[in-house]
Amino acid sequence: MQIIRYMIVANITSALVYEHEIYADVGDTVNLTCNLTTKNYVTWLVPPNLQQYAVGNSLNTKLMMFLDFKLIRNIDSIEILKILNFSNQNQGQYRCQIKEDEINFNVFPSVTPSNITIVNETTSKEIVAFEGHTCQLLCRVASGLPAEKLSWSHAGEVLVEGGPGNIAYSFIPSRYDDGENFTCSVYRKSTQILLMRNIRVSVYFKPNVIVNISPSDTVVEGNSLVISCIHDSNDKDATIRWIPECQETLKTSGQCRIDSVKRTAAGTYTCEVVSKVGRVRNSSTLNILYAPDISIYALSINDSCIYLECIAKGIPDVPVFARWQHRSSLGTPIRLLENSSVLCIQPNSYKDHGLYICNVTNYIPNNGGEVWLQKTYNKTYSGRPFFTTRNKRVQYAAFRKLKKLYFYVVSGLKITIDESKTFTNLPGINNISNCISSRDIDDVIYDVNVKVTGYEIIVETIIDDAEGFGNYTIHLANSAGTTEFEFEVKSAGLCKQCSIKMSFCKSDNSQVKLNTCIEEDIDLDSQLTFLSTTTELSQQSASDWETDNASDRNNFNQPNKQQKLSNFKTSVKSSMG
């Protein structure tokens, strides 16, 4: 191989002087062409020191012994000096002359460039770059002779050419340049590659970050879920941080696991990926569905209405209300009311006291699996003492026997008995304030038999004469006012419903006849005593009865019958006494 560089060095007067640089490899054949066309003889001077080698066809025989040259003339009469099997001894200056014109040939042995390197190359044979920042590829060689050319190429396309000694190529990489190979080439001719070096470019880029919630970003309270941080960072040392901090982070996969999720876990979860490029964040929102929390607020609007509002707060916030339930204070169902979130009840109505139950759903089950949920408002009775329907307007007492009178009252406030007005003439009454006890009692509310919490009042009395029977009033009071209840105490034996009407008449035999002579009410409690007395009477001698004639029997119904009846009652009382 020979490389020739032509240069016109000077133009002195009319003479032409040409300078050529020729580089040849050892063993090459070097052609020195003397382009001075002439019919005159050409003189050739050779190194060292420009010794005369030939004049025309005459050769220096001494030099011929040491030099492997050949002199030829082509068809155009141009002489060519061939240096055969070039070696370092053949280097130097050659000249062809024709009179005053000359051409100088400087022949040098060529030097191949070496030691190709890429600046900032890592031990893993790569260049580290960052997305969006300028990356420079710098290739260097130890230059040779003649001077070499260098180029950078990618995927078969030449990006830049230059040299000698080095070449740089700058570009702004993207993530798509990561892992791409670039080639630095050193050459003298485009087809003669002397050196080549490939380098891999590793581009650290801002990763794409995705926060994924599985099985869904909307879950029911109490279920389990996994929040995953998915990114495509090519930095093997990249780390993940959760905001807010996840207590159950799986570091190997960047997953945040939540078992039995609570409603307080709802919100935005942010994954931050920290790499050599910087920090990149992305977020996703977790929605927790849960059954509503129910509360009931009571507001007194006026004397005729207490406004109950049932408030249900859950997710989704679309509560569906069923009909209100009205139950007794002990839970007995009474009635169904409006199917809405609001209700108006009378504030001091006894029949409207009790439990008001709001039924609501948003179709999300609670932890117990219940879809329909309830909240109860207890409307206590705050009016005056109320005597229930169980109270009897008529109570029966046996003559001269202990009688317990029962009264049943409902009051949400502490009650007292006004002793100054109650049972003022009922015999045998004392310490009536201690006869009140709390208990569950029966009542009828809105035509429904119910049990309610109330008071039982037991009053003990002994009626020992007829004046003890009659009408009485019990007065009860609380902080809301006073209520009275009127009732009648009747004799268990002297009432028309349970009395036995008997007639007593004289007879010819020793038996008491039931007749229509006279009627009198007989105390049922005294029947046994009365029958005993009448038995004794029936056992009297027939002669005692025979002394009375028919007229006397008729006189039994005359005015003196009251005296006889009085004597008879006295006799009966004596027998009872």
mmCIF file with all atom_site columns, all heavy atoms in Angstrom, residues 253-274:
data_model
loop_
_atom_site.group_PDB
_atom_site.id
_atom_site.type_symbol
_atom_site.label_atom_id
_atom_site.label_alt_id
_atom_site.label_comp_id
_atom_site.label_asym_id
_atom_site.label_entity_id
_atom_site.label_seq_id
_atom_site.pdbx_PDB_ins_code
_atom_site.Cartn_x
_atom_site.Cartn_y
_atom_site.Cartn_z
_atom_site.occupancy
_atom_site.B_iso_or_equiv
_atom_site.pdbx_formal_charge
_atom_site.auth_seq_id
_atom_site.auth_comp_id
_atom_site.auth_asym_id
_atom_site.auth_atom_id
_atom_site.pdbx_PDB_model_num
ATOM 1   N N   . SER A 1 253 ? -40.958 -7.117  46.117 1.00 0.00 ? 253 SER A N   1
ATOM 2   C CA  . SER A 1 253 ? -41.888 -6.851  45.022 1.00 0.00 ? 253 SER A CA  1
ATOM 3   C C   . SER A 1 253 ? -42.523 -5.475  45.098 1.00 0.00 ? 253 SER A C   1
ATOM 4   O O   . SER A 1 253 ? -43.231 -5.073  44.183 1.00 0.00 ? 253 SER A O   1
ATOM 5   C CB  . SER A 1 253 ? -43.004 -7.912  45.021 1.00 0.00 ? 253 SER A CB  1
ATOM 6   O OG  . SER A 1 253 ? -43.705 -7.879  46.243 1.00 0.00 ? 253 SER A OG  1
ATOM 7   N N   . GLY A 1 254 ? -42.279 -4.753  46.168 1.00 0.00 ? 254 GLY A N   1
ATOM 8   C CA  . GLY A 1 254 ? -42.856 -3.425  46.299 1.00 0.00 ? 254 GLY A CA  1
ATOM 9   C C   . GLY A 1 254 ? -44.345 -3.433  46.523 1.00 0.00 ? 254 GLY A C   1
ATOM 10  O O   . GLY A 1 254 ? -45.033 -2.479  46.162 1.00 0.00 ? 254 GLY A O   1
ATOM 11  N N   . GLN A 1 255 ? -44.868 -4.499  47.129 1.00 0.00 ? 255 GLN A N   1
ATOM 12  C CA  . GLN A 1 255 ? -46.304 -4.599  47.377 1.00 0.00 ? 255 GLN A CA  1
ATOM 13  C C   . GLN A 1 255 ? -46.620 -4.210  48.812 1.00 0.00 ? 255 GLN A C   1
ATOM 14  O O   . GLN A 1 255 ? -45.868 -4.489  49.734 1.00 0.00 ? 255 GLN A O   1
ATOM 15  C CB  . GLN A 1 255 ? -46.806 -6.019  47.120 1.00 0.00 ? 255 GLN A CB  1
ATOM 16  C CG  . GLN A 1 255 ? -46.758 -6.433  45.666 1.00 0.00 ? 255 GLN A CG  1
ATOM 17  C CD  . GLN A 1 255 ? -47.317 -7.823  45.466 1.00 0.00 ? 255 GLN A CD  1
ATOM 18  O OE1 . GLN A 1 255 ? -47.282 -8.651  46.360 1.00 0.00 ? 255 GLN A OE1 1
ATOM 19  N NE2 . GLN A 1 255 ? -47.823 -8.090  44.272 1.00 0.00 ? 255 GLN A NE2 1
ATOM 20  N N   . CYS A 1 256 ? -47.755 -3.551  48.963 1.00 0.00 ? 256 CYS A N   1
ATOM 21  C CA  . CYS A 1 256 ? -48.265 -3.189  50.283 1.00 0.00 ? 256 CYS A CA  1
ATOM 22  C C   . CYS A 1 256 ? -49.535 -4.005  50.516 1.00 0.00 ? 256 CYS A C   1
ATOM 23  O O   . CYS A 1 256 ? -50.527 -3.824  49.808 1.00 0.00 ? 256 CYS A O   1
ATOM 24  C CB  . CYS A 1 256 ? -48.559 -1.692  50.347 1.00 0.00 ? 256 CYS A CB  1
ATOM 25  S SG  . CYS A 1 256 ? -49.270 -1.156  51.925 1.00 0.00 ? 256 CYS A SG  1
ATOM 26  N N   . ARG A 1 257 ? -49.515 -4.889  51.478 1.00 0.00 ? 257 ARG A N   1
ATOM 27  C CA  . ARG A 1 257 ? -50.651 -5.773  51.754 1.00 0.00 ? 257 ARG A CA  1
ATOM 28  C C   . ARG A 1 257 ? -51.391 -5.296  52.995 1.00 0.00 ? 257 ARG A C   1
ATOM 29  O O   . ARG A 1 257 ? -50.776 -4.971  54.008 1.00 0.00 ? 257 ARG A O   1
ATOM 30  C CB  . ARG A 1 257 ? -50.168 -7.209  51.951 1.00 0.00 ? 257 ARG A CB  1
ATOM 31  C CG  . ARG A 1 257 ? -51.312 -8.193  52.208 1.00 0.00 ? 257 ARG A CG  1
ATOM 32  C CD  . ARG A 1 257 ? -50.828 -9.623  52.337 1.00 0.00 ? 257 ARG A CD  1
ATOM 33  N NE  . ARG A 1 257 ? -51.925 -10.525 52.557 1.00 0.00 ? 257 ARG A NE  1
ATOM 34  C CZ  . ARG A 1 257 ? -52.663 -11.062 51.591 1.00 0.00 ? 257 ARG A CZ  1
ATOM 35  N NH1 . ARG A 1 257 ? -52.373 -10.788 50.332 1.00 0.00 ? 257 ARG A NH1 1
ATOM 36  N NH2 . ARG A 1 257 ? -53.666 -11.882 51.850 1.00 0.00 ? 257 ARG A NH2 1
ATOM 37  N N   . ILE A 1 258 ? -52.720 -5.243  52.877 1.00 0.00 ? 258 ILE A N   1
ATOM 38  C CA  . ILE A 1 258 ? -53.574 -4.844  53.999 1.00 0.00 ? 258 ILE A CA  1
ATOM 39  C C   . ILE A 1 258 ? -54.612 -5.932  54.206 1.00 0.00 ? 258 ILE A C   1
ATOM 40  O O   . ILE A 1 258 ? -55.435 -6.194  53.332 1.00 0.00 ? 258 ILE A O   1
ATOM 41  C CB  . ILE A 1 258 ? -54.260 -3.493  53.741 1.00 0.00 ? 258 ILE A CB  1
ATOM 42  C CG1 . ILE A 1 258 ? -53.218 -2.402  53.444 1.00 0.00 ? 258 ILE A CG1 1
ATOM 43  C CG2 . ILE A 1 258 ? -55.102 -3.087  54.937 1.00 0.00 ? 258 ILE A CG2 1
ATOM 44  C CD1 . ILE A 1 258 ? -53.827 -1.063  53.099 1.00 0.00 ? 258 ILE A CD1 1
ATOM 45  N N   . ASP A 1 259 ? -54.571 -6.571  55.356 1.00 0.00 ? 259 ASP A N   1
ATOM 46  C CA  . ASP A 1 259 ? -55.561 -7.590  55.708 1.00 0.00 ? 259 ASP A CA  1
ATOM 47  C C   . ASP A 1 259 ? -56.668 -6.952  56.528 1.00 0.00 ? 259 ASP A C   1
ATOM 48  O O   . ASP A 1 259 ? -56.408 -6.125  57.404 1.00 0.00 ? 259 ASP A O   1
ATOM 49  C CB  . ASP A 1 259 ? -54.909 -8.722  56.494 1.00 0.00 ? 259 ASP A CB  1
ATOM 50  C CG  . ASP A 1 259 ? -53.937 -9.527  55.634 1.00 0.00 ? 259 ASP A CG  1
ATOM 51  O OD1 . ASP A 1 259 ? -54.246 -9.768  54.460 1.00 0.00 ? 259 ASP A OD1 1
ATOM 52  O OD2 . ASP A 1 259 ? -52.848 -9.874  56.144 1.00 0.00 ? 259 ASP A OD2 1
ATOM 53  N N   . SER A 1 260 ? -57.892 -7.349  56.258 1.00 0.00 ? 260 SER A N   1
ATOM 54  C CA  . SER A 1 260 ? -59.067 -6.842  56.963 1.00 0.00 ? 260 SER A CA  1
ATOM 55  C C   . SER A 1 260 ? -59.038 -5.314  56.997 1.00 0.00 ? 260 SER A C   1
ATOM 56  O O   . SER A 1 260 ? -58.908 -4.685  58.040 1.00 0.00 ? 260 SER A O   1
ATOM 57  C CB  . SER A 1 260 ? -59.124 -7.406  58.400 1.00 0.00 ? 260 SER A CB  1
ATOM 58  O OG  . SER A 1 260 ? -60.344 -7.053  59.022 1.00 0.00 ? 260 SER A OG  1
ATOM 59  N N   . VAL A 1 261 ? -59.154 -4.737  55.820 1.00 0.00 ? 261 VAL A N   1
ATOM 60  C CA  . VAL A 1 261 ? -59.006 -3.288  55.686 1.00 0.00 ? 261 VAL A CA  1
ATOM 61  C C   . VAL A 1 261 ? -60.123 -2.560  56.420 1.00 0.00 ? 261 VAL A C   1
ATOM 62  O O   . VAL A 1 261 ? -61.271 -3.016  56.459 1.00 0.00 ? 261 VAL A O   1
ATOM 63  C CB  . VAL A 1 261 ? -58.994 -2.903  54.192 1.00 0.00 ? 261 VAL A CB  1
ATOM 64  C CG1 . VAL A 1 261 ? -60.329 -3.231  53.523 1.00 0.00 ? 261 VAL A CG1 1
ATOM 65  C CG2 . VAL A 1 261 ? -58.659 -1.444  54.024 1.00 0.00 ? 261 VAL A CG2 1
ATOM 66  N N   . LYS A 1 262 ? -59.753 -1.449  57.033 1.00 0.00 ? 262 LYS A N   1
ATOM 67  C CA  . LYS A 1 262 ? -60.716 -0.607  57.748 1.00 0.00 ? 262 LYS A CA  1
ATOM 68  C C   . LYS A 1 262 ? -61.003 0.650   56.939 1.00 0.00 ? 262 LYS A C   1
ATOM 69  O O   . LYS A 1 262 ? -60.224 1.057   56.078 1.00 0.00 ? 262 LYS A O   1
ATOM 70  C CB  . LYS A 1 262 ? -60.181 -0.244  59.134 1.00 0.00 ? 262 LYS A CB  1
ATOM 71  C CG  . LYS A 1 262 ? -60.011 -1.445  60.053 1.00 0.00 ? 262 LYS A CG  1
ATOM 72  C CD  . LYS A 1 262 ? -59.483 -1.012  61.406 1.00 0.00 ? 262 LYS A CD  1
ATOM 73  C CE  . LYS A 1 262 ? -59.446 -2.190  62.384 1.00 0.00 ? 262 LYS A CE  1
ATOM 74  N NZ  . LYS A 1 262 ? -58.695 -3.343  61.877 1.00 0.00 ? 262 LYS A NZ  1
ATOM 75  N N   . ARG A 1 263 ? -62.117 1.258   57.282 1.00 0.00 ? 263 ARG A N   1
ATOM 76  C CA  . ARG A 1 263 ? -62.530 2.439   56.520 1.00 0.00 ? 263 ARG A CA  1
ATOM 77  C C   . ARG A 1 263 ? -61.509 3.571   56.639 1.00 0.00 ? 263 ARG A C   1
ATOM 78  O O   . ARG A 1 263 ? -61.396 4.411   55.747 1.00 0.00 ? 263 ARG A O   1
ATOM 79  C CB  . ARG A 1 263 ? -63.899 2.913   56.988 1.00 0.00 ? 263 ARG A CB  1
ATOM 80  C CG  . ARG A 1 263 ? -63.948 3.438   58.426 1.00 0.00 ? 263 ARG A CG  1
ATOM 81  C CD  . ARG A 1 263 ? -65.359 3.665   58.888 1.00 0.00 ? 263 ARG A CD  1
ATOM 82  N NE  . ARG A 1 263 ? -66.092 2.415   58.974 1.00 0.00 ? 263 ARG A NE  1
ATOM 83  C CZ  . ARG A 1 263 ? -67.362 2.331   59.376 1.00 0.00 ? 263 ARG A CZ  1
ATOM 84  N NH1 . ARG A 1 263 ? -68.013 3.432   59.702 1.00 0.00 ? 263 ARG A NH1 1
ATOM 85  N NH2 . ARG A 1 263 ? -67.969 1.155   59.431 1.00 0.00 ? 263 ARG A NH2 1
ATOM 86  N N   . THR A 1 264 ? -60.758 3.587   57.737 1.00 0.00 ? 264 THR A N   1
ATOM 87  C CA  . THR A 1 264 ? -59.757 4.633   57.913 1.00 0.00 ? 264 THR A CA  1
ATOM 88  C C   . THR A 1 264 ? -58.605 4.490   56.924 1.00 0.00 ? 264 THR A C   1
ATOM 89  O O   . THR A 1 264 ? -57.792 5.406   56.785 1.00 0.00 ? 264 THR A O   1
ATOM 90  C CB  . THR A 1 264 ? -59.213 4.593   59.348 1.00 0.00 ? 264 THR A CB  1
ATOM 91  O OG1 . THR A 1 264 ? -58.755 3.263   59.652 1.00 0.00 ? 264 THR A OG1 1
ATOM 92  C CG2 . THR A 1 264 ? -60.298 4.974   60.344 1.00 0.00 ? 264 THR A CG2 1
ATOM 93  N N   . ALA A 1 265 ? -58.521 3.332   56.259 1.00 0.00 ? 265 ALA A N   1
ATOM 94  C CA  . ALA A 1 265 ? -57.443 3.119   55.281 1.00 0.00 ? 265 ALA A CA  1
ATOM 95  C C   . ALA A 1 265 ? -57.764 3.757   53.938 1.00 0.00 ? 265 ALA A C   1
ATOM 96  O O   . ALA A 1 265 ? -56.904 3.779   53.050 1.00 0.00 ? 265 ALA A O   1
ATOM 97  C CB  . ALA A 1 265 ? -57.186 1.631   55.096 1.00 0.00 ? 265 ALA A CB  1
ATOM 98  N N   . ALA A 1 266 ? -58.963 4.269   53.772 1.00 0.00 ? 266 ALA A N   1
ATOM 99  C CA  . ALA A 1 266 ? -59.321 4.893   52.499 1.00 0.00 ? 266 ALA A CA  1
ATOM 100 C C   . ALA A 1 266 ? -58.472 6.139   52.279 1.00 0.00 ? 266 ALA A C   1
ATOM 101 O O   . ALA A 1 266 ? -58.101 6.835   53.214 1.00 0.00 ? 266 ALA A O   1
ATOM 102 C CB  . ALA A 1 266 ? -60.805 5.239   52.483 1.00 0.00 ? 266 ALA A CB  1
ATOM 103 N N   . GLY A 1 267 ? -58.166 6.402   51.023 1.00 0.00 ? 267 GLY A N   1
ATOM 104 C CA  . GLY A 1 267 ? -57.395 7.597   50.690 1.00 0.00 ? 267 GLY A CA  1
ATOM 105 C C   . GLY A 1 267 ? -56.430 7.339   49.556 1.00 0.00 ? 267 GLY A C   1
ATOM 106 O O   . GLY A 1 267 ? -56.519 6.341   48.839 1.00 0.00 ? 267 GLY A O   1
ATOM 107 N N   . THR A 1 268 ? -55.492 8.264   49.407 1.00 0.00 ? 268 THR A N   1
ATOM 108 C CA  . THR A 1 268 ? -54.530 8.215   48.312 1.00 0.00 ? 268 THR A CA  1
ATOM 109 C C   . THR A 1 268 ? -53.246 7.542   48.770 1.00 0.00 ? 268 THR A C   1
ATOM 110 O O   . THR A 1 268 ? -52.692 7.888   49.819 1.00 0.00 ? 268 THR A O   1
ATOM 111 C CB  . THR A 1 268 ? -54.227 9.627   47.806 1.00 0.00 ? 268 THR A CB  1
ATOM 112 O OG1 . THR A 1 268 ? -55.438 10.219  47.335 1.00 0.00 ? 268 THR A OG1 1
ATOM 113 C CG2 . THR A 1 268 ? -53.212 9.591   46.682 1.00 0.00 ? 268 THR A CG2 1
ATOM 114 N N   . TYR A 1 269 ? -52.788 6.571   47.983 1.00 0.00 ? 269 TYR A N   1
ATOM 115 C CA  . TYR A 1 269 ? -51.536 5.882   48.247 1.00 0.00 ? 269 TYR A CA  1
ATOM 116 C C   . TYR A 1 269 ? -50.543 6.259   47.146 1.00 0.00 ? 269 TYR A C   1
ATOM 117 O O   . TYR A 1 269 ? -50.832 6.116   45.966 1.00 0.00 ? 269 TYR A O   1
ATOM 118 C CB  . TYR A 1 269 ? -51.750 4.372   48.299 1.00 0.00 ? 269 TYR A CB  1
ATOM 119 C CG  . TYR A 1 269 ? -52.427 3.942   49.577 1.00 0.00 ? 269 TYR A CG  1
ATOM 120 C CD1 . TYR A 1 269 ? -53.801 4.070   49.728 1.00 0.00 ? 269 TYR A CD1 1
ATOM 121 C CD2 . TYR A 1 269 ? -51.693 3.446   50.646 1.00 0.00 ? 269 TYR A CD2 1
ATOM 122 C CE1 . TYR A 1 269 ? -54.429 3.709   50.905 1.00 0.00 ? 269 TYR A CE1 1
ATOM 123 C CE2 . TYR A 1 269 ? -52.309 3.070   51.825 1.00 0.00 ? 269 TYR A CE2 1
ATOM 124 C CZ  . TYR A 1 269 ? -53.676 3.204   51.951 1.00 0.00 ? 269 TYR A CZ  1
ATOM 125 O OH  . TYR A 1 269 ? -54.290 2.844   53.129 1.00 0.00 ? 269 TYR A OH  1
ATOM 126 N N   . THR A 1 270 ? -49.378 6.738   47.573 1.00 0.00 ? 270 THR A N   1
ATOM 127 C CA  . THR A 1 270 ? -48.351 7.213   46.649 1.00 0.00 ? 270 THR A CA  1
ATOM 128 C C   . THR A 1 270 ? -47.119 6.326   46.741 1.00 0.00 ? 270 THR A C   1
ATOM 129 O O   . THR A 1 270 ? -46.633 6.038   47.838 1.00 0.00 ? 270 THR A O   1
ATOM 130 C CB  . THR A 1 270 ? -47.962 8.670   46.964 1.00 0.00 ? 270 THR A CB  1
ATOM 131 O OG1 . THR A 1 270 ? -49.120 9.494   46.836 1.00 0.00 ? 270 THR A OG1 1
ATOM 132 C CG2 . THR A 1 270 ? -46.884 9.153   46.021 1.00 0.00 ? 270 THR A CG2 1
ATOM 133 N N   . CYS A 1 271 ? -46.646 5.899   45.587 1.00 0.00 ? 271 CYS A N   1
ATOM 134 C CA  . CYS A 1 271 ? -45.401 5.132   45.505 1.00 0.00 ? 271 CYS A CA  1
ATOM 135 C C   . CYS A 1 271 ? -44.318 6.047   44.958 1.00 0.00 ? 271 CYS A C   1
ATOM 136 O O   . CYS A 1 271 ? -44.483 6.646   43.890 1.00 0.00 ? 271 CYS A O   1
ATOM 137 C CB  . CYS A 1 271 ? -45.579 3.909   44.612 1.00 0.00 ? 271 CYS A CB  1
ATOM 138 S SG  . CYS A 1 271 ? -44.034 3.023   44.325 1.00 0.00 ? 271 CYS A SG  1
ATOM 139 N N   . GLU A 1 272 ? -43.215 6.145   45.683 1.00 0.00 ? 272 GLU A N   1
ATOM 140 C CA  . GLU A 1 272 ? -42.078 6.951   45.252 1.00 0.00 ? 272 GLU A CA  1
ATOM 141 C C   . GLU A 1 272 ? -40.915 6.024   44.926 1.00 0.00 ? 272 GLU A C   1
ATOM 142 O O   . GLU A 1 272 ? -40.471 5.253   45.779 1.00 0.00 ? 272 GLU A O   1
ATOM 143 C CB  . GLU A 1 272 ? -41.680 7.939   46.339 1.00 0.00 ? 272 GLU A CB  1
ATOM 144 C CG  . GLU A 1 272 ? -40.497 8.817   45.966 1.00 0.00 ? 272 GLU A CG  1
ATOM 145 C CD  . GLU A 1 272 ? -40.095 9.751   47.085 1.00 0.00 ? 272 GLU A CD  1
ATOM 146 O OE1 . GLU A 1 272 ? -39.543 9.256   48.096 1.00 0.00 ? 272 GLU A OE1 1
ATOM 147 O OE2 . GLU A 1 272 ? -40.344 10.960  46.959 1.00 0.00 ? 272 GLU A OE2 1
ATOM 148 N N   . VAL A 1 273 ? -40.447 6.110   43.683 1.00 0.00 ? 273 VAL A N   1
ATOM 149 C CA  . VAL A 1 273 ? -39.303 5.318   43.241 1.00 0.00 ? 273 VAL A CA  1
ATOM 150 C C   . VAL A 1 273 ? -38.084 6.232   43.216 1.00 0.00 ? 273 VAL A C   1
ATOM 151 O O   . VAL A 1 273 ? -38.085 7.258   42.528 1.00 0.00 ? 273 VAL A O   1
ATOM 152 C CB  . VAL A 1 273 ? -39.554 4.703   41.853 1.00 0.00 ? 273 VAL A CB  1
ATOM 153 C CG1 . VAL A 1 273 ? -38.330 3.923   41.397 1.00 0.00 ? 273 VAL A CG1 1
ATOM 154 C CG2 . VAL A 1 273 ? -40.783 3.788   41.889 1.00 0.00 ? 273 VAL A CG2 1
ATOM 155 N N   . VAL A 1 274 ? -37.065 5.849   43.982 1.00 0.00 ? 274 VAL A N   1
ATOM 156 C CA  . VAL A 1 274 ? -35.839 6.623   44.073 1.00 0.00 ? 274 VAL A CA  1
ATOM 157 C C   . VAL A 1 274 ? -34.745 5.869   43.317 1.00 0.00 ? 274 VAL A C   1
ATOM 158 O O   . VAL A 1 274 ? -34.415 4.729   43.651 1.00 0.00 ? 274 VAL A O   1
ATOM 159 C CB  . VAL A 1 274 ? -35.423 6.845   45.538 1.00 0.00 ? 274 VAL A CB  1
ATOM 160 C CG1 . VAL A 1 274 ? -34.168 7.706   45.614 1.00 0.00 ? 274 VAL A CG1 1
ATOM 161 C CG2 . VAL A 1 274 ? -36.554 7.496   46.327 1.00 0.00 ? 274 VAL A CG2 1
#
